[in-house]
Amino acid sequence: MSEATQTAGAIATHDHADQPHHPGAGIYLIVALFLCVLTAMEITVFYVPALKTVIVPVLLVLAAAKFALIAMFFMHLKYDSWTLSGIFIFPLFIAAFMLASLMMLFAYLAHHLA
Amino acid sequence: MAAHPKPLHVEPANYLQGGGVIGWLTTVDHKRIAVLYGVSALLFLGLGGLEAMAIRIQLWAPGEHFISARAYNELFTMHGTSMLFLAVMPLLLGTFANFMLPLQIGARDVAFPRINALSFWVSLMGAILLHLGWFFGGLPDAGWFGYANLTERMYSPGLPLDFWTLGLIVAGASTILATLNFLVTLITMRAPGMSYMRMPMFCWAIMITSILVLLAFPPLTVGLIFLLMDRFFGTHFYIVSAGATPILWQHLFWLFGHPEVYIIALPAFGVISEVVPTFSRKPLFGYPMMAYSICLIAFLSYGVWGHHMFATGMGPVADAAFAVTSMLIAIPTGIKIFSWIATVWGGSLRMTTSFYFALGMILEFTFGGLSGIMHASAPIDLQQTDSYFVVAHFHYVLFGGAVFAILAGIFYWWPKVTGKMLSERLGKLQFWLTIIGFNGTFFPMHFLGMWGMPRRIYTYGAGLGWTHLNQLETVCAMILGLAFLVMYINMVWSIANGEKAPPDPWDGRSLEWSVASPPPVYNFARIPEVRGRDAWWIVKYGRTGSRGLAAYMSGKPPQPSAADLAPPAEPIHMPAPSIFPLILSIGVLVASLGVIIGEWRIVILGAVTLVVAAIAMGFEYPTFGQESHDPMAAPSSGGTDVRKVGIWSFIGSECLFFASLIATYIIYKGRNIGGPGAEILEIPLTSFSTFALLMSSLAMVLALAAIQRNDRTWMRVWLGTTIGLGLVFLGVEAYEFTHFYHEGLSLQTDLFGQSFFTLVGFHGAHVSIGVLWLATLWFASFGEKFDGSRSLSVELAGLYWHFVDIVWVIIFTLVYLMQQVKGA
Amino acid sequence: MSRRAFSLGAMSILAAFLSGCASNRELPMTTLAPKSDLGQWIYHLFIEVTLWDALILAIVLIAFILAVFIFSTRVGEAAPPKSAASDLKLEIAWTVGPALVILMISVPTVRTVFRSQPRVAPADSLHIRVIAHQWWWEFQYPDSKVITANELHIPVNRPIRLDLVSSDVIHSFWVPQLGGKRDVVPGQINELTFEANVPGMYPGQCAEFCGDSHANMRFRVMVETPEQFAEWTKLQQAVPVAVDQITDASVADGAKVFADSPCTSCHRIDGVSKGYIAPDLTHFGSRTTMAGGIMANTPDNVAKWITDPQALKPGALMPPLGLRGQQLNDLVAYLESLK
């Protein structure tokens, strides 16, 4: 851990004024740790029969958390210009909307299949 | 920043001069590329017009035998496909946007000049593919929206539909490339002082259109890939006997198809929003509302695709929802129409041909919009869809709206592009012929539709009361053809003998009129400082509009001064020409042809050409991956590198690509006939590969952190680790696929199998491309100059890599962990 | 000159549109003279929307004419205009105005959507299964076991429930006078519910492009009084005269020609052949049209059709059989005798 903090400090001194501040290895390792824990939780949810009823929302929340961690820290959206976040979040919104609409439309259609 | 290979001196007086044929083949100048787009689009516009005229002759009378049923079907298919993909879109985006964007925002080129060239050449290859059927057994004949399952090999055997499928995939890819370029250009390269709310409205339109393209073409591409796989690899995405629902194609197609309407309409609105203020000598009325209404139209356009499918039986709830969202679009559209009229109101009008067409567009488009409200009402649509009423409607929108705007734009910008004036006399003649021909052809179609004439019929019975109107339409279609002939004559005449154009022939408002006609290669000797909306207007007349009035009143509006037009004192760095875009696109053509004739060696030849050309583009500049701009050329980037904005835009587009694949998987996952179902997916194995991919992302950011502190050794180590973990992931996937194959689940087994393999397989292909990219980077890191200043190259590859990782996060959850959850 | 021409042109377009809607109401395939409840609901909605559209068009036209011809000058005529670049009140007006119109349109739209698509068929409705083929229509009456092609007989003033299925690609069932179309999608059962209220013959046509002979996929709907319909049903249920009891020599020879020909592998004639991929010919002689409704059912036309089907209907699956002379005449006589 101390080594990681050291590296982070080393980067800070190298920071150029015109470059957005990127986190150091320390942060990256913590995020990676979280990702592993979340994945372990996902797999646990899959294997625990008691959670069958809530499996969909729980898995979705866990996946969203992993998604957000990678996008914010590994892809630096937390540190970069808001424009970049916008370029990413708007398509995500449209994609989610499309996915949900198609699922509903085909759920209706399922009652009308020959 | 780093040095550029060839600082270009200002030898040629304008962009059209010098270079010879090779110069045009290797050009990366946005203006030359725009001209190339324009020439090809005008060619296909003429061809599409001739196709339409043949269609009209065939419909002259009941039982007419001018052409066969098959030929008729080919003609209306190619008329629609070429007019949309090869004429109207290339004219609006390829020509107008390409030429004018950099000029209007005060930039010297687009963000990625070589990718700009690439998108033209690839689009040309798409056009060639679509038309190759001429020589191989006939043109595509399933209609421009090619409804599955008519497009399956069982009902459309032979090559024509193969050419159509691949041609559209290729043309679509080129459009995505082109608009990605526009979006990044508009975000990062606006001249100092040009905030978003100071951009010309045309730029707004193109910016939003680019977003539409990036998010609308992926569903089409996915739909076409399914069709391709059905036709070539024995899958059954649209084959009913295998349990598929052909309606899936319609959803994917119209998810693209409705935004496509606005992909065409918004740039047309943009052109009108330039032409009307210029010739009214007034600023655009309600600029903020105009900009917001563009955004609102684009946003709504994703929620209305179902109105093309009211007759398919989506159920009353969906019908009602799509009806209401479709009607809502009328509100922002109305804002635009009223604002244009308000711009004209009180103006000092200059009645040029361009203005004529713009005014014509306002009325004709209004009419098309009003009949659009009728179709938005689902029950009414049941009587109108697939009848001539709809043909009338979309011609009022696409011709009355888009083509009128294109004609207004051609007359408006022709002097800037060619340095010659078009004949106003011929222009007015063309205008009146167009008005008569257009309304005479398409207005009666409303009645034919109301009287029950379905579209796409090559013949009709006598006694239905349709004959006279059809004959009127045929006559008027010939008049319309004549109008375009006048235009082509006018163009040739203008280039040969036209009057020389001054820099600012129309007393223009935006920056393109502040440079010479035709503009110099570098566009601006000095990057302009923008002090408000209508940047050039303010320079001429001052903020209050009082300066230079005397000159205006004497009929000679101010022109750019000699000092403004003087060549720069110092050489300007311009992007060097490149042959690789052309080579890459030839690779695309060769690979596509190989797929169609089923010769895998030719596919590999094409693919190798493509990959080699792509890597060569990467190494073309001494600094790996560097496009030819420096930070000074991207003044509005806020310090973010242009390439970073580019890769994020690409990632945004990819979201829709994977969403389409995931949607298909969810819809089809339960439909396993005979083969194993989703329970075959193994969690322990994929948990391991998921872990490997997550850790590869960690290694990737550590590599970035290393290069940022100038530590090349550790960067190589972490980059190598990333590649290694990526290969582990791919290895597990390969094992998994082989295992499934032995268990009896192959690509052809059933709908579950093919949608699983397609989704996971495309993700795997993305990982492979990522590995290839990282490996290239790894080798490049042994070069001399690969130090901390190059960390961006690593960051870009990393962004792509992490995106592939988060897609896997979704796939792992939705496909693997939710395997017991029922599909849609 | 040109200014006046411009406004005159625009005005005449509007006038032609409004008068056109009113005239020509009795064309065979018009949507403007509905003969069913569904058609009438749609028609009324259409008129309502058209009126709102006309209002909007009038406002736009008036504003346009005022802006271009009255409240503007031409370049060089006067001092340059004072530039008003926005006006909040106006902008709110032309946002809220259209929004209100849309509200006015969307309420009846949504109501009609739900009214015209009942989840369950109305009580006492007649169920008919419509099977679309490239390029002809098959109609099956599950209650009376009647199977026919290209001519749908229904009783007046009784709810009809069509189950639409396709045997190959997507088609669309459309009888303009009886209401809106409904696509016929393979792998899916679509429904259409309506009640015809005027007896008569109403032509229909496939409205979704379905391949080479899409234009030749026509049909007719005969709306009949309950008595006529019952009589027709009885006729269709009758078993045709057995081959060995046919009295007319030519017809008897024709029956043999049919029985020995490849016709039998695709066409069904009750008691003679069991083909099912082509139209049922058991009561062929009772139909008024043939070959996907593209021509009248006359001996000449039947002979022409048998000689070269592709010439009349490009892409038709029926092969030319090479029958000529007496054989052909006998076959035609036999087919026409199948009342």
Side-chain angles (χ1 to χ4, degrees):
Chain A
M1 198 62 213
S2 64
E3 196 185 302
T5 342
Q6 221 176 350
T7 343
I11 287 176
T13 55
H14 266 83
D15 232 335
H16 301 291
D18 58 333
Q19 274 210 334
H21 180 84
H22 282 167
I27 300 280
Y28 291 148
L29 285 170
I30 294 169
V31 170
L33 190 69
F34 269 106
L35 289 174
C36 291
V37 170
L38 287 169
T39 309
M41 284 167 72
E42 285 181 331
I43 297 163
T44 316
V45 171
F46 177 80
Y47 281 111
V48 176
L51 294 172
K52 272 267 141 53
T53 46
V54 290
I55 188 167
V56 173
V58 171
L59 282 179
L60 285 181
V61 168
L62 291 173
K66 284 164 75 179
F67 192 107
L69 281 176
I70 297 177
M72 283 166 66
F73 293 96
F74 286 2
M75 299 171 90
H76 313 126
L77 280 184
K78 189 173 185 301
Y79 309 95
D80 274 345
S81 141
W82 241 100
T83 311
L84 298 182
S85 303
I87 293 176
F88 186 47
I89 290 170
F90 181 68
L92 274 183
F93 173 77
I94 298 285
F97 170 77
M98 180 184 108
L99 198 61
S101 323
L102 284 178
M103 283 172 69
M104 286 191 282
L105 286 162
F106 277 85
Y108 174 85
L109 204 59
H111 302 297
H112 291 258
L113 295 180
Chain B
M1 276 288 263
H4 297 282
K6 287 180 196 164
L8 195 127
H9 294 274
V10 287
E11 293 295 341
N14 68 54
Y15 79 97
L16 287 167
Q17 290 174 356
V21 175
I22 299 296
W24 282 91
L25 293 180
T26 60
T27 185
V28 294
D29 180 349
H30 71 101
K31 300 179 288 298
R32 284 196 167 196
I33 294 167
V35 170
L36 289 172
Y37 262 117
V39 170
S40 114
L42 286 173
L43 206 73
F44 286 113
L45 182 75
L47 191 61
L50 289 176
E51 285 160 354
M53 283 155 80
I55 288 171
R56 284 307 332 161
I57 294 174
Q58 168 67 16
L59 292 176
W60 174 257
E64 185 73 50
H65 286 290
F66 177 65
I67 44 176
S68 69
R70 174 64 63 87
Y72 183 89
N73 298 342
E74 292 175 355
L75 285 179
F76 73 65
T77 302
M78 288 313 288
H79 170 72
T81 307
S82 0
M83 282 302 196
L84 287 171
F85 291 103
L86 310 181
V88 169
M89 270 196 339
L91 278 171
L92 286 167
L93 297 173
T95 306
F96 289 171
N98 224 336
F99 202 104
M100 295 305 159
L101 277 197
L103 286 167
Q104 288 197 329
I105 61 171
R108 290 198 167 123
D109 208 315
V110 292
F112 309 110
R114 288 178 303 169
I115 288 182
N116 200 18
L118 180 65
S119 57
F120 168 71
W121 293 113
V122 173
S123 81
L124 188 66
M125 299 308 157
I128 290 174
L129 278 173
L130 282 169
H131 282 87
L132 268 184
W134 281 116
F135 312 103
F136 298 96
L139 290 166
D141 62 349
W144 87 273
F145 46 65
Y147 273 1
N149 53 350
L150 182 63
T151 46
E152 290 289 346
R153 213 170 270 293
M154 188 196 272
Y155 301 107
S156 296
L159 297 177
L161 262 287
D162 298 341
F163 282 116
W164 183 79
T165 312
L166 270 160
L168 279 192
I169 291 178
V170 170
S174 84
T175 314
I176 289 181
L177 285 178
T179 49
L180 192 141
N181 220 336
F182 298 153
L183 180 63
V184 178
T185 307
L186 284 167
I187 292 175
T188 61
M189 296 177 71
R190 285 167 283 124
M194 183 167 280
S195 61
Y196 286 114
M197 291 310 271
R198 284 179 178 178
M199 288 197 302
M201 194 50 62
F202 181 67
C203 296
W204 262 103
I206 297 301
M207 186 166 85
I208 303 301
T209 303
S210 303
I211 296 173
L212 277 179
V213 169
L214 289 175
L215 307 190
F217 270 72
L220 173 69
T221 309
V222 168
L224 286 166
I225 287 172
F226 290 162
L227 180 60
L228 190 81
M229 292 176 65
D230 277 6
R231 288 183 69 89
F232 289 98
F233 307 129
T235 56
H236 327 96
F237 282 101
Y238 309 122
I239 293 179
V240 180
S241 56
T245 313
I247 288 295
L248 175 66
W249 162 268
Q250 293 192 24
H251 282 293
L252 292 174
F253 185 88
W254 291 117
L255 267 164
F256 145 80
H258 200 81
E260 165 73 10
V261 173
Y262 294 101
I263 288 165
I264 287 169
L266 291 184
F269 293 170
V271 174
I272 299 300
S273 301
E274 296 298 297
V275 171
V276 167
T278 300
F279 294 116
S280 302
R281 206 180 187 278
K282 275 180 65 192
L284 184 65
F285 190 92
Y287 177 100
M289 286 291 269
M290 288 295 255
Y292 302 150
S293 63
I294 289 180
C295 300
L296 193 59
I297 290 174
F299 180 72
L300 286 174
S301 78
Y302 285 104
V304 302
W305 80 91
H307 71 221
H308 296 266
M309 300 170 60
F310 283 142
T312 62
M314 294 184 296
V317 178
D319 282 2
F322 280 122
V324 173
T325 52
S326 305
M327 287 178 191
L328 286 179
I329 289 194
I331 298 174
T333 314
I335 292 175
K336 305 207 80 69
I337 287 167
F338 286 116
S339 298
W340 288 325
I341 294 178
T343 308
V344 176
W345 195 292
S348 168
L349 312 188
R350 183 164 171 180
M351 302 305 286
T352 59
T353 307
S354 174
F355 196 32
Y356 270 41
F357 275 114
L359 291 175
M361 183 274 188
I362 296 175
L363 285 189
E364 308 285 14
F365 179 77
T366 302
F367 203 84
L370 291 175
S371 55
I373 295 180
M374 295 179 179
H375 317 310
S377 176
I380 304 180
D381 180 73
L382 295 183
Q383 281 287 28
Q384 296 176 341
T385 186
D386 281 314
S387 80
Y388 262 85
F389 196 94
V390 147
V391 180
H393 160 73
F394 67 68
H395 279 95
Y396 267 83
V397 174
L398 292 176
F399 195 120
V403 176
F404 269 62
I406 286 173
L407 294 171
I410 286 178
F411 278 86
Y412 184 59
W413 280 316
W414 181 269
K416 183 53 64 188
V417 174
T418 62
K420 299 286 184 66
M421 302 300 285
L422 282 166
S423 157
E424 279 291 305
R425 186 190 289 265
L426 284 177
K428 298 275 167 61
L429 174 68
Q430 183 199 342
F431 173 77
W432 288 113
L433 286 174
T434 307
I435 286 284
I436 296 167
F438 167 73
N439 289 298
T441 306
F442 297 109
F443 188 73
M445 286 185 186
H446 291 104
F447 295 98
L448 284 180
M450 287 188 279
W451 297 343
M453 182 163 170
R455 69 194 280 206
R456 296 177 164 176
I457 50 172
Y458 77 94
T459 189
Y460 51 95
L464 295 165
W466 300 341
T467 313
H468 295 304
L469 284 188
N470 269 304
Q471 291 176 344
L472 172 67
E473 286 167 10
T474 303
V475 171
C476 290
M478 299 301 138
I479 297 176
L480 196 52
L482 189 65
F484 278 93
L485 187 64
V486 172
M487 178 182 79
Y488 287 115
I489 291 171
N490 199 349
M491 287 174 162
V492 174
W493 175 87
S494 162
I495 288 169
N497 307 313
E499 188 192 331
K500 210 171 160 331
D504 183 9
W506 313 124
D507 198 13
R509 312 182 75 84
S510 42
L511 288 170
E512 75 265 34
W513 306 109
S514 70
V515 300
S517 303
V521 177
Y522 46 78
N523 291 358
F524 299 94
R526 283 158 298 279
I527 296 297
E529 284 276 337
V530 175
R531 286 179 295 143
R533 263 174 226 161
D534 295 330
W536 170 234
W537 182 264
I538 293 177
V539 172
K540 284 192 290 189
Y541 294 104
R543 219 173 256 288
T544 54
S546 49
R547 193 195 313 154
L549 262 190
Y552 165 75
M553 287 307 288
S554 69
K556 286 198 183 340
Q559 292 283 336
S561 67
D564 289 336
L565 299 175
E570 296 165 18
I572 294 173
H573 294 273
M574 289 304 290
S578 168
I579 191 68
F580 294 114
L582 179 59
I583 294 178
L584 201 161
S585 63
I586 290 174
V588 171
L589 180 67
V590 170
S592 308
L593 285 178
V595 171
I596 288 170
I597 60 175
E599 186 55 74
W600 298 109
R601 279 166 292 188
I602 296 184
V603 178
I604 290 166
L605 178 72
V608 168
T609 313
L610 191 157
V611 171
V612 168
I615 293 178
M617 270 170 87
F619 285 102
E620 197 171 5
Y621 292 110
T623 47
F624 170 78
Q626 178 80 38
E627 266 286 1
S628 49
H629 48 71
D630 51 87
M632 297 307 290
S636 60
S637 62
T640 310
D641 191 275
V642 170
R643 286 170 289 165
K644 201 157 148 185
V645 184
I647 197 99
W648 271 110
S649 308
F650 176 72
I651 286 173
S653 183
E654 289 267 80
C655 288
L656 271 289
F657 181 84
F658 279 107
S660 309
L661 286 172
I662 291 172
T664 307
Y665 174 80
I666 292 176
I667 289 163
Y668 279 164
K669 71 180 271 195
R671 303 192 192 174
N672 51 316
I673 304 168
E679 69 284 348
I680 193 178
L681 305 172
E682 277 184 46
I683 299 303
L685 185 69
T686 38
S687 299
F688 168 67
S689 66
T690 304
F691 179 74
L693 204 58
L694 282 176
M695 288 307 106
S696 80
S697 267
L698 175 65
M700 188 69 232
V701 279
L702 291 177
L704 176 63
I707 190 70
Q708 278 173 340
R709 57 171 193 267
N710 254 325
D711 186 346
R712 282 210 282 179
T713 316
W714 275 104
M715 188 215 69
R716 272 184 223 126
V717 169
W718 288 123
L719 208 53
T721 312
T722 313
I723 297 171
L725 287 168
L727 289 173
V728 167
F729 177 85
L730 287 174
V732 172
E733 194 155 279
Y735 166 78
E736 189 193 20
F737 280 16
T738 332
H739 173 67
F740 288 166
Y741 189 76
H742 288 303
E743 295 275 309
L745 185 71
S746 74
L747 189 61
Q748 291 91 357
T749 307
D750 55 27
L751 290 169
F752 164 70
Q754 68 202 35
S755 47
F756 167 79
F757 280 118
T758 311
L759 169 60
V760 178
F762 265 105
H763 176 264
H766 278 71
V767 177
S768 311
I769 292 169
V771 167
L772 199 65
W773 187 349
L774 294 179
T776 314
L777 206 59
W778 194 76
F779 282 110
S781 73
F782 288 96
E784 281 292 303
K785 292 177 180 164
F786 211 96
D787 55 17
S789 68
R790 310 297 317 287
S791 68
L792 191 78
S793 301
V794 181
E795 196 183 342
L796 294 179
L799 286 174
Y800 176 84
W801 188 261
H802 299 310
F803 173 71
V804 172
D805 193 2
I806 53 178
V807 171
W808 183 254
V809 167
I810 302 294
I811 292 179
F812 182 60
T813 303
L814 291 184
V815 175
Y816 288 87
L817 295 176
M818 290 192 188
Q819 55 182 255
Q820 279 136 5
V821 181
K822 260 186 68 197
Chain C
M1 208 259 357
S2 58
R3 296 186 202 181
R4 192 168 303 153
F6 209 98
S7 54
L8 271 181
M11 280 307 199
S12 56
I13 286 173
L14 181 66
F17 182 72
L18 293 176
S19 65
C21 288
S23 68
N24 285 300
R25 295 174 62 99
E26 293 308 322
L27 290 170
M29 286 178 74
T30 183
T31 61
L32 305 175
K35 305 290 195 303
S36 75
D37 54 355
L38 176 64
Q40 276 140 5
W41 294 332
I42 295 176
Y43 177 72
H44 289 138
L45 194 57
F46 172 66
I47 294 300
E48 197 172 331
V49 176
T50 305
L51 291 175
W52 283 112
D53 270 6
L55 176 72
I56 300 171
L57 185 65
I59 293 172
V60 171
L61 265 182
I62 291 168
F64 182 90
I65 290 166
L66 291 179
V68 176
F69 300 109
I70 313 286
F71 293 104
S72 57
T73 55
R74 295 297 177 267
V75 67
E77 273 180 17
K82 286 265 183 295
S83 30
S86 64
D87 181 332
L88 192 62
K89 276 183 200 151
L90 260 182
E91 290 175 61
I92 289 174
W94 63 52
T95 308
V96 174
L100 288 178
V101 171
I102 280 164
L103 189 69
M104 299 302 290
I105 295 174
S106 59
V107 170
T109 292
V110 172
R111 196 170 43 205
T112 312
V113 164
F114 281 93
R115 182 151 75 160
S116 60
Q117 297 183 46
R119 186 199 290 267
V120 196
D124 85 308
S125 49
L126 176 67
H127 283 262
I128 302 170
R129 193 174 174 82
V130 176
I131 305 169
H133 302 260
Q134 274 182 326
W135 293 276
W136 60 282
W137 297 89
E138 181 172 351
F139 303 113
Q140 298 179 348
Y141 297 70
D143 297 340
S144 57
K145 305 271 183 285
V146 167
I147 298 175
T148 184
N150 300 327
E151 286 182 3
L152 175 66
H153 290 251
I154 55 170
V156 73
N157 293 334
R158 180 174 167 193
I160 308 295
R161 176 76 151 196
L162 302 181
D163 285 337
L164 305 159
V165 294
S166 166
S167 72
D168 36 52
V169 300
I170 300 178
H171 303 274
S172 190
F173 180 93
W174 190 28
V175 189
Q177 294 210 56
L178 296 181
K181 57 185 76 66
R182 181 63 66 194
D183 288 354
V184 189
V185 185
Q188 183 177 331
I189 302 171
N190 277 350
E191 287 130 6
L192 192 61
T193 315
F194 63 94
E195 184 178 321
N197 42 33
V198 183
M201 190 280 283
Y202 305 111
Q205 184 157 4
C206 173
E208 187 62 80
F209 180 68
C210 55
D212 283 357
S213 265
H214 165 57
N216 297 323
M217 191 168 164
R218 304 173 205 169
F219 63 102
R220 289 176 164 192
V221 179
M222 319 292 196
V223 177
E224 296 165 335
T225 61
E227 300 75 39
Q228 287 170 324
F229 180 70
E231 197 180 323
W232 175 82
T233 307
K234 220 169 131 195
L235 190 72
Q236 299 293 311
Q237 284 171 322
V239 182
V241 183
V243 179
D244 50 4
Q245 286 170 6
I246 296 173
T247 47
D248 186 304
S250 172
V251 172
D253 288 349
K256 282 201 202 75
V257 174
F258 182 86
D260 297 340
S261 74
C263 306
T264 53
S265 55
C266 302
H267 291 281
R268 173 175 171 270
I269 292 180
D270 196 5
V272 178
S273 62
K274 293 197 163 102
Y276 59 90
I277 65 167
D280 189 305
L281 298 178
T282 309
H283 298 281
F284 177 75
S286 72
R287 295 180 206 149
T288 59
T289 58
M290 55 172 290
I294 54 173
M295 49 196 186
N297 185 358
T298 63
D300 271 0
N301 280 342
V302 177
K304 260 195 251 169
W305 172 258
I306 293 173
T307 312
D308 190 358
Q310 277 77 25
L312 299 164
K313 199 188 220 183
L317 289 177
M318 176 163 154
L321 294 176
L323 294 172
R324 320 200 155 70
Q326 194 54 42
Q327 273 194 318
L328 182 59
N329 290 342
D330 292 345
L331 180 58
V332 171
Y334 170 62
L335 292 174
E336 295 292 15
S337 77
L338 298 167
K339 295 291 180 189

